[in-house]
Amino acid sequence: QLLKRTFGFWSLLAVGVGGTVGSGIFVLSGAIARDNAGPASIIAWILAGFACLLTALSYCELATRIPATGSTYSFSYHSIGEIV
């Protein structure tokens, strides 16, 4: 009995890239924690999480103040203006 084909080219490509990037991130963070940071790596992860939280909150505030659909470019354009 033949198996039904469910994954296409793009799905398999996404799984391969995701696996490669994900394993690289986890292996690299473990190697850095082992060689450089040691027990302080927990504090480093907490500080990085706090920085990500502050970034997310600032994007939320910008999204509520600027009633246009956009991204980082439109937020910087509204806050800084046209530099060039």
Side-chain angles (χ1 to χ4, degrees):
Q1 188 178 30
L2 296 175
L3 296 175
K4 184 178 176 183
R5 184 178 185 175
T6 56
F7 285 126
F9 173 75
W10 294 109
S11 300
L12 291 175
L13 182 70
V15 168
V17 169
T20 303
V21 170
S23 64
I25 288 172
F26 290 123
V27 168
L28 185 62
S29 63
I32 289 174
R34 182 191 67 220
D35 296 336
N36 300 328
S41 61
I42 300 289
I43 296 170
W45 283 103
I46 290 172
L47 290 175
F50 185 68
C52 290
L53 175 70
L54 291 179
T55 304
L57 289 176
S58 67
Y59 271 119
C60 288
E61 183 179 355
L62 280 172
T64 57
R65 292 187 183 266
I66 301 172
T69 304
S71 61
T72 306
Y73 171 74
S74 66
F75 293 151
S76 0
Y77 181 77
H78 284 292
S79 62
I80 298 173
E82 193 170 338
I83 295 175
V84 178

